[in-house]
Amino acid sequence: MLRLFLNIEKKVKEGFNEISDKFSNLDQDKIASNAKSGAERIGKTISEIVTSIFNVISKIIGGFIVLFTCMTLISVIIGGIAMIFFSSMPDNFLYNHIHTPFSFEIPIWIQGILLIVVIGIPLFYLLILGLKLLTNRIKSIGNTTNYSLLAIWIIGLASVIFLTIREISQNAFTGKDIEKVAINIKPSDTLNIKFISNNLYSKNNNDYENFEVVHNELDQEIIFSNNVSIKIVETTEPIAYLQIEKSAEGKSMKNAKQTAEKIKYNVIIENNNLILDNYWITELTNKKHDQEVELFLYLPVGTIFKVDKNFKHFDISENDYFN
């Protein structure tokens, strides 16, 4: 990379030297005895100076293009090869550590190939363009190679478009599973609301993981998430109740609802204590489909309640009174 930078610097200096020579020639032309010939020489020299300036500018632009495309192309190739290598890793490693630019539903090694093809080929041609701006010695790679790379790129791009459309269709609908749980407390009692974690999945109530693969009590891989929210709402009904809304996306309303129903979320009501999990889990086979759990706590007007210190991390209540 250092050698490349030095070559670029050399080309730019050569361009500036050429401009300097043109200005020197311009001074000599001005003292020419023949006015007409001198004017022609001045015009020709100015044209050459302008051309030289554009050549220097093109070399500077070419240098930036070469540096940018080299670094980006190397990153793309390394990233693609790494994705191909990581395809042999277990599912929990992929879920927790690998974030790919394409759909997770296809094998990660295919995503690595698509990354190199769809992004790497245009970067390759951009690199050639930058080199041609720097020097005229770059030869054409030939029509056969050009047409072959173009055909491969079109196939790769078409594959990405197809996979994108399929991914969108797989999450085109949102389904919900709604459950209502009555909370019987006396008007004079204080409702204590508490969020708890599971030490097997998370040691800290404040830890936030949108999606993570963990092992349950049976050493089975499951999806774990803290994507839980609660909203307190006033109600005119005489009895307080908790509405649990589990949602997910899918290729149809039925499919999305079935995925939402497979979310496991626990609520415990003991006397005047409302104990809520700060997480939900689901089987690994259900995959990631933007699952979440929303809690709506409906309290009669005048109900006294007390929240724990973790409540604020999940609270989305609109009224400042509840906060």
Side-chain angles (χ1 to χ4, degrees), residues 11-67:
K11 292 292 182 181
V12 174
K13 286 183 177 179
E14 289 176 354
F16 279 113
N17 291 333
E18 184 179 349
I19 294 175
S20 178
D21 292 339
K22 296 299 179 184
F23 275 111
S24 298
N25 293 334
L26 180 61
D27 294 336
Q28 296 175 5
D29 291 337
K30 286 183 179 180
I31 61 174
S33 58
N34 191 307
K36 182 178 179 179
S37 175
E40 290 177 352
R41 286 178 176 273
I42 290 173
K44 181 179 179 182
T45 304
I46 291 175
S47 175
E48 291 175 351
I49 290 172
V50 172
T51 302
S52 298
I53 291 174
F54 278 110
N55 286 336
V56 171
I57 293 175
S58 68
K59 291 181 186 300
I60 294 174
I61 294 174
F64 279 114
I65 291 176
V66 170
L67 287 174

Side-chain angles (χ1 to χ4, degrees), residues 192-209:
N192 298 306
I193 307 171
K194 182 180 181 181
F195 275 95
I196 61 171
S197 64
N198 185 318
N199 290 334
L200 185 63
Y201 309 138
S202 175
K203 299 294 189 296
N204 191 328
N205 278 317
N206 299 330
D207 286 345
Y208 184 84
E209 292 291 345

Side-chain angles (χ1 to χ4, degrees), residues 75-254:
S75 299
V76 168
I77 293 174
I78 292 176
I81 294 175
M83 290 167 64
I84 295 173
F85 170 76
F86 284 138
S87 62
S88 60
M89 296 292 180
D91 288 340
N92 62 340
F93 180 85
L94 299 179
Y95 263 102
N96 298 337
H97 301 284
I98 306 301
H99 302 281
T100 63
F102 306 120
S103 169
F104 188 79
E105 299 298 322
I106 63 173
I108 195 171
W109 64 269
I110 295 180
Q111 299 181 50
I113 294 175
L114 289 176
L115 177 65
I116 295 174
V117 170
V118 176
I119 300 179
I121 291 178
L123 286 174
F124 171 72
Y125 279 102
L126 191 60
L127 175 61
I128 292 178
L129 173 62
L131 292 173
K132 286 185 175 180
L133 290 174
L134 278 174
T135 177
N136 296 324
R137 298 178 182 177
I138 301 298
K139 296 181 180 180
S140 174
I141 60 176
N143 291 333
T144 302
T145 304
N146 283 326
Y147 291 140
S148 299
L149 290 176
L150 178 61
I152 294 172
W153 182 77
I154 291 175
I155 293 173
L157 181 62
S159 301
V160 170
I161 294 174
F162 168 77
L163 292 171
T164 301
I165 294 174
R166 191 186 74 166
E167 179 72 10
I168 293 173
S169 65
Q170 290 292 322
N171 297 280
F173 297 88
T174 300
K176 286 189 175 184
D177 176 56
I178 301 176
E179 178 186 0
K180 290 184 178 181
V181 180
I183 305 174
N184 295 307
I185 59 172
K186 298 178 181 179
S188 58
D189 288 342
T190 298
L191 178 63
N192 298 306
I193 307 171
K194 182 180 181 181
F195 275 95
I196 61 171
S197 64
N198 185 318
N199 290 334
L200 185 63
Y201 309 138
S202 175
K203 299 294 189 296
N204 191 328
N205 278 317
N206 299 330
D207 286 345
Y208 184 84
E209 292 291 345
N210 192 25
F211 287 96
E212 184 180 11
V213 175
V214 297
H215 289 84
N216 61 12
E217 294 84 352
L218 302 177
D219 202 29
Q220 299 169 330
E221 291 183 341
I222 59 172
I223 295 177
F224 159 83
S225 174
N226 292 115
N227 196 355
V228 177
S229 63
I230 186 168
K231 183 177 182 179
I232 299 180
V233 185
E234 289 185 356
T235 179
T236 56
E237 296 186 19
I239 299 177
Y241 65 93
L242 178 69
Q243 183 167 300
I244 306 170
E245 296 188 5
K246 297 181 288 185
S247 63
E249 294 181 350
K251 59 184 178 182
S252 66
M253 289 294 294
K254 181 180 179 181

Side-chain angles (χ1 to χ4, degrees), residues 307-319:
V307 300
D308 70 345
K309 62 180 181 180
N310 300 311
F311 184 87
K312 62 183 179 181
H313 299 295
F314 308 95
D315 181 31
I316 58 170
S317 302
E318 297 174 359
N319 195 321

